[in-house]
Amino acid sequence: MIGNRDLSWDGCVNVRDLGGLGRVKPRAVVRMEAPTSLSEAGWASAWAYGVRTVVDLRDPDESEPDHAPRPAGITTVNAPLDPVGTPFYERWQKIDSLASPLYFPALLAEHPEPVVTAVRAIANAEPGCVVFHCASGKDRTGLLALVLLTLAGAAPEEIVADYLLTFDRMKQRHDELGFRDQLTAVAELLEARGTTFEASLTSTITSLTMPDYLLANGLSDAELAALRTRLTS
């Protein structure tokens, strides 16, 4: 582990343990970009860290082959978080391409089912550390991290700081691809809507009542208990 939470797994650059935020224990859940670029040594590091389940938040159309084989003992669960093909998705593609915190409260309100499905995948995973990811590990991953961390009692400023880390972690990759600086681009998008990273995320966090949100949208009491045990005991 680099620092307290950053993990060095060869082939990926945006890997971090949520342990230490709120009441989350280390080696319970790890967020990252798509692990498809992990090398054999990178997968060996994930296995040695205790990873036994990977939850993929991407749409099936985004799937790509792994650069190196996953250890046989790792289970991959697909739990797409974006409601592709819905009016919601089409609307938000035009607003922010679902690439900023702007869409978080709308998704939580209008499409709670995929959120709860992803949470359930973590709650029901086999013993061991759970990794969850999307493509770059920023927004879909950030939304699920926000939900888990809010449940675990993390302060809004902790959740905001964790979200923002991805811009730094992924900057070199984005530069190599010729992308405009993403921190600046998203900040400008938020500013045009009269908000900031901090204000937008904090508003979402403080309006999310836990565990009521999860229970009202289909998570069972037993699954909630399992999730709390995984995250915090």
Side-chain angles (χ1 to χ4, degrees), residues 10 13 19 28 31 53 63 79 86 98 105 123-124 133 135 140 151-153 156 163 182 187-189 196 217:
D10 186 59
V13 297
R31 60 176 294 174
T53 302
S63 63
T86 65
L98 288 90
N124 293 338
H133 72 89
R140 287 167 289 187
L151 175 68
Y163 175 87
Q182 292 297 290
E188 289 178 356
L189 174 67
T196 63
N217 289 293

Side-chain angles (χ1 to χ4, degrees), residues 35 59 68 116 204 215 219:
D59 188 75
V116 173
T204 301
L215 294 172
L219 197 73

